[in-house]
Amino acid sequence: MADIKITFPDGAVKPFANGSTTADVAKSISISLAKKAVAGKFNGELVDYEAPLTEDGKIEIVTKDTPEGLTVLRHTASQVLANALHQLYPEMHFGQGEASDDGFSFDTDNADHQVSSDDLPAIEAKMKEIVKANLPISREVLAEADALKLVDGDPYQTQLVKQAAAANDGQVAVYRQGDFVDLSDGVQMPSTGDVKIFKLLSVAGAYWEGKSSNPMLQRVYGTAFFNQKDMDADDVRRKEARERDHRVIGNDLDLFFVDPKVGAGLPYWMPNGATIRRTIERYIIDKEIQHGYEHVYTPVLMNLDAYKTSGHWEHYREDMFPPMDMGDGEMLELRPMNCPSHIQIYKHHIRSYRELPLRIAELGMMHRYEKSGALSGLQRVREMTLNDGHTFVAPDQIQDEFKRILNLMVEVYADFDIKDYSFRLSYRDPKNTEKYFANDEMWEKAQKMLKGAMDDLGLDYVEAEGEAAFYGPKLDVQTKTALGNEETLSTIQLDFMLPDRFDLHYVGADGEEHQPVMIHRGLVSTMERFTAYLTEMYKGAFPTWLAPHQVSIIPVSEEHQGDYAEKLRKQLAAAGVRVTVDDRNEKMNFKIRDAQTHKIPYTLVVGDKEKQDDTVSVRRYGHDESTSEASKDFLSDVLNDIASYSREN
């Protein structure tokens, strides 16, 4: 059999016997590389370490210290998990296994015994037995009929077999671990003994194929690493993430709740959470008005034709709720975006160049048709209120207005003490311009303007070709959640398309009509997502100006100091401080601990001496010691704390 030619990343070409494996190639380079290798990438596709190579091609050796190598390990761990579950629960049905940046998982369904967190130690012990057995793992390709016999009527596996066969000319790939055979489309390690360092983490419900109309399965989560050091670091990261999880903190501090029985993805804001949200809303409205924005209110419903004109119906229909037929030919739609509404504000009057830039802003409620499986606390919801703004500018005003928006954005971040963020300029793909709004001259000019503005402001940024919106280039501000996921916190987008589609004009100095450019911008995302972000960033210990309860007053004795505590409460409340008196029939130390547990910035303890001297004993959140202050001095201090956005002067 003729040799095959293998091309290496450096361009070198070497002959190998037909049927050689990635292992053979790695060993031919060095023994140390072979020890680190776990798979190959042949002609751009991942292949098993021991899979025969039967044609010429380019190869990359995938090692343990690469993300792809970790994915291979976790694919194998998910199959070891399935093997363990099959041995423990022979009647169990199986959905899909998955490897991800965060670990691995497998979906299960068992009428007699759904997996719970109590079962994880036993499952983990069985997995360790399988790992210790060091079973060889091999890939086989079966005909559809043979694969259907193998899954033996499992409804989920049967569906997966049929889908795989339809996509691969009737062929279905499976992996064998000893007597256990399972469907898998992910490359795996050579042996179960390679999965040495792993841990099962949790169990949660997950709809089959992510659709709420399908059965709810039990998803078992775990993670795996090649060395204990990485596992230990991951443990620390997960502990930190649990401490910052806004869903946990939201429950502990009674900020919000979501009840699927009355509406999945529709959060109810409790008084504490509503106070935080209201403070953010008042802040951002006042800040925008100071910067020249005019705030408006627009309806949450709009005629479907507007979204057909805007392109939302064409491009985002799957994310929109079904239209409502009003019975007289009118079709109304819950809005997924606010921009068409602000366009109507612009169009309501004939506009002059003297009015530009025209800045319109709104806390606009929107609705998105999110799948149930994607919903998460306040971060992914079906109803949201966006801190939205649109500026209508003449083309020669783009760069200056972009700078103004960016300066406002940085100012807002400073007030919220947001420091860990980065900028990304997104351009159109120069090799695939047909999918973008057709105006080459405008694209080139706009992209240069945005880049020039960033350079003028001296800000670091990365450039990303192909990530622009189809209607214009944009700037995204990227940050990280408590779980380490990157998300877009704010954005500034240029839009040439909507002014054209909605036939927007202004009368120029020459008396002629000209088309404006529209700038979309969201400073702090939606109220839901921003509150979740802040909750995780602060770990629930909100700075004084944002805290739902800023001061808690605890009288040593309600009978003897209750009147003084009430007097202090009235003074603070009259000055705008959010203050309560804890007059519960509990011991004082319990009340102090409770105030700390609820992360109230200031706890004031007042006894006979404080009442006599008109002073307060002040304990700040996170501090063990207390200080004595005159009541008027404390009032001045707390008002200064609030006015300075809790930043040290």
Side-chain angles (χ1 to χ4, degrees):
M1 192 177 292
D3 287 348
I4 57 173
K5 295 179 181 179
I6 301 296
T7 304
F8 292 89
D10 64 358
V13 180
K14 186 177 178 180
F16 284 84
N18 195 313
S20 296
T21 65
T22 299
D24 296 326
V25 176
K27 289 173 186 176
S28 75
I29 299 172
S30 72
I31 297 300
S32 61
L33 177 62
K35 288 180 178 179
K36 292 193 299 181
V38 298
K41 184 181 278 189
F42 193 66
N43 290 331
E45 297 290 333
L46 274 176
V47 295
D48 292 297
Y49 194 52
E50 300 287 354
L53 307 176
T54 58
E55 61 184 14
D56 297 346
K58 297 179 180 179
I59 196 167
E60 296 176 48
I61 307 299
V62 177
T63 58
K64 295 177 181 179
D65 55 359
T66 64
E68 287 172 324
L70 193 57
T71 298
V72 171
L73 174 70
R74 288 172 173 172
H75 265 302
T76 312
S78 81
Q79 299 301 307
V80 171
L81 168 60
N83 190 351
L85 289 166
H86 177 71
Q87 291 187 39
L88 290 170
Y89 312 105
E91 301 303 315
M92 178 172 280
H93 292 155
F94 292 94
Q96 289 179 296
E98 187 174 272
S100 69
D101 293 340
D102 200 45
F104 63 88
S105 64
F106 219 103
D107 290 351
T108 69
D109 190 15
N110 191 1
D112 295 332
H113 181 81
Q114 292 283 28
V115 176
S116 73
S117 57
D118 294 336
D119 299 316
L120 296 185
I123 299 170
E124 197 169 284
K126 180 59 70 174
M127 289 178 68
K128 289 178 179 177
E129 290 180 17
I130 296 168
V131 170
K132 187 176 181 180
N134 198 26
L135 302 173
I137 298 174
S138 59
R139 183 177 186 269
E140 301 175 13
V141 177
L142 305 178
E144 180 179 355
D146 293 331
L148 287 173
K149 289 178 184 177
L150 185 69
V151 301
D152 193 27
D154 183 319
Y156 311 110
Q157 295 283 291
T158 297
Q159 185 173 333
L160 292 173
V161 165
K162 291 181 178 179
Q163 290 172 351
N168 296 285
D169 298 324
Q171 302 295 299
V172 180
V174 299
Y175 277 86
R176 182 181 296 277
Q177 299 175 16
D179 295 332
F180 178 72
V181 183
D182 191 56
L183 302 174
S184 178
D185 57 0
V187 169
Q188 296 194 31
M189 304 287 290
S191 166
T192 62
D194 295 314
V195 189
K196 292 182 174 63
I197 300 168
F198 68 92
K199 178 188 291 186
L200 296 185
L201 300 170
S202 61
V203 179
Y207 289 112
W208 170 238
E209 295 188 322
K211 297 178 181 177
S212 59
S213 57
N214 285 343
M216 174 73 77
L217 308 184
Q218 293 300 104
R219 180 170 293 171
V220 182
Y221 290 94
T223 193
F225 290 93
F226 284 108
N227 63 72
Q228 190 61 46
K229 181 181 176 182
D230 290 339
M231 177 66 85
D232 293 342
D234 187 67
D235 285 342
V236 172
R237 180 187 69 83
R238 289 181 188 277
K239 182 176 182 294
E240 175 76 6
R242 285 193 295 272
E243 291 176 354
R244 291 183 182 273
D245 191 325
H246 81 280
R247 295 166 297 182
V248 176
I249 296 171
N251 182 65
D252 292 343
L253 300 185
D254 202 22
L255 304 182
F256 73 95
F257 70 89
V258 179
D259 187 347
K261 294 178 182 177
V262 294
L266 302 174
Y268 285 73
W269 295 79
M270 297 297 285
N272 289 343
T275 298
I276 296 169
R277 171 174 171 163
R278 184 170 59 251
T279 303
I280 296 170
E281 290 178 342
R282 288 173 175 172
Y283 163 86
I284 203 68
I285 290 173
D286 289 345
K287 182 70 70 173
E288 288 174 336
I289 290 173
Q290 291 169 14
H291 282 258
Y293 285 86
E294 298 179 273
H295 262 260
V296 299
Y297 295 98
T298 58
V300 73
L301 290 169
M302 186 176 247
N303 193 297
L304 179 60
D305 289 342
Y307 296 112
K308 291 181 177 179
T309 301
S310 70
H312 289 107
W313 187 245
E314 177 184 356
H315 291 278
Y316 303 109
R317 186 183 308 186
E318 291 184 357
D319 297 319
M320 298 169 67
F321 278 90
M324 290 171 273
D325 189 343
M326 304 309 293
D328 57 359
E330 183 181 27
M331 302 291 286
L332 293 182
E333 177 67 34
L334 281 168
R335 68 178 174 194
M337 303 280 189
N338 301 311
C339 25
S341 300
H342 291 183
I343 285 173
Q344 299 309 312
I345 296 283
Y346 181 92
K347 290 188 69 172
H348 189 63
H349 296 300
I350 297 173
R351 302 294 180 177
S352 163
Y353 73 96
R354 298 180 186 275
E355 297 177 74
L356 305 184
L358 178 64
R359 304 179 184 96
I360 297 171
E362 179 180 11
L363 292 173
M365 183 180 289
M366 311 182 306
H367 293 81
R368 302 278 175 86
Y369 189 71
E370 295 277 8
K371 292 182 179 179
S372 297
L375 300 173
S376 177
L378 293 177
Q379 285 178 329
R380 292 291 295 271
V381 293
R382 286 175 172 158
E383 178 183 274
M384 65 219 73
T385 300
L386 180 65
N387 162 230
D388 210 357
H390 295 91
T391 304
F392 299 87
V393 298
D396 61 358
Q397 296 174 326
I398 290 175
Q399 188 162 340
D400 286 342
E401 186 62 19
F402 180 82
K403 287 182 185 179
R404 284 179 62 103
I405 296 171
L406 194 52
N407 281 326
L408 171 58
M409 188 180 291
V410 171
E411 187 178 320
V412 169
Y413 284 6
D415 288 342
F416 284 98
D417 200 29
I418 298 172
K419 299 173 183 174
D420 185 15
Y421 59 89
S422 60
F423 296 108
R424 182 178 68 198
L425 278 178
S426 297
Y427 305 143
R428 70 172 178 172
D429 184 350
K431 299 176 183 176
N432 187 22
T433 58
E434 63 272 9
K435 71 175 184 177
Y436 300 97
F437 180 67
N439 189 326
D440 291 345
E441 181 182 356
M442 187 65 82
W443 274 97
E444 292 301 320
K445 183 178 180 181
Q447 290 177 173
K448 286 180 181 178
M449 282 183 171
L450 296 197
K451 180 176 172 60
M454 296 295 288
D455 291 339
D456 287 348
L457 293 170
L459 297 171
D460 294 329
Y461 58 91
V462 297
E463 297 174 279
E465 288 187 345
E467 295 197 20
F470 66 93
Y471 49 75
K474 62 178 179 172
L475 172 74
D476 289 327
V477 183
Q478 302 298 110
T479 188
K480 291 212 173 164
T481 67
L483 294 174
N485 300 317
E486 187 176 274
E487 68 175 28
T488 301
L489 183 61
S490 307
T491 187
I492 309 173
Q493 299 179 339
L494 300 191
D495 187 347
F496 317 125
M497 186 190 75
L498 290 187
D500 182 65
R501 287 194 170 189
F502 282 93
D503 195 26
L504 302 186
H505 296 95
Y506 64 90
V507 179
D510 57 2
E512 300 295 324
E513 285 190 341
H514 301 271
Q515 192 169 91
V517 177
M518 192 173 176
I519 303 179
H520 307 248
R521 49 106 286 207
L523 296 180
V524 293
S525 186
T526 66
M527 292 301 101
E528 290 76 13
R529 180 169 286 188
F530 192 56
T531 301
Y533 174 78
L534 293 178
T535 301
E536 296 185 348
M537 186 179 85
Y538 297 130
K539 286 189 180 180
F542 291 94
T544 307
W545 75 283
L546 279 175
H549 298 284
Q550 296 166 326
V551 179
S552 175
I553 304 173
I554 301 174
V556 174
S557 166
E558 176 62 25
E559 180 181 356
H560 295 102
Q561 295 92 35
D563 57 342
Y564 180 54
E566 181 60 19
K567 172 189 168 186
L568 292 173
R569 188 199 67 78
K570 288 181 178 179
Q571 289 175 345
L572 290 163
V577 179
R578 296 188 285 273
V579 56
T580 57
V581 174
D582 191 343
D583 55 5
R584 293 176 295 172
N585 186 25
E586 299 285 355
K587 292 182 179 180
M588 184 180 67
N589 286 338
F590 172 84
K591 295 179 182 181
I592 293 173
R593 285 196 304 272
D594 192 58
Q596 294 287 297
T597 299
H598 286 87
K599 306 184 180 183
I600 297 174
Y602 293 98
T603 301
L604 308 184
V605 177
V606 293
D608 285 338
K609 188 175 188 309
E610 285 78 20
K611 178 178 180 180
Q612 180 180 331
D613 298 340
D614 196 18
T615 60
V616 290
S617 177
V618 184
R619 180 172 175 176
R620 296 203 62 160
Y621 171 74
H623 293 250
D624 294 329
E625 69 282 354
S626 299
T627 59
S628 180
E629 292 185 39
S631 62
K632 62 181 179 61
D633 291 339
F634 172 74
L635 175 59
S636 175
D637 288 345
V638 73
L639 290 177
N640 181 64
D641 188 356
I642 294 168
S644 66
Y645 303 111
S646 303
R647 295 176 297 198
E648 292 185 9
N649 294 323

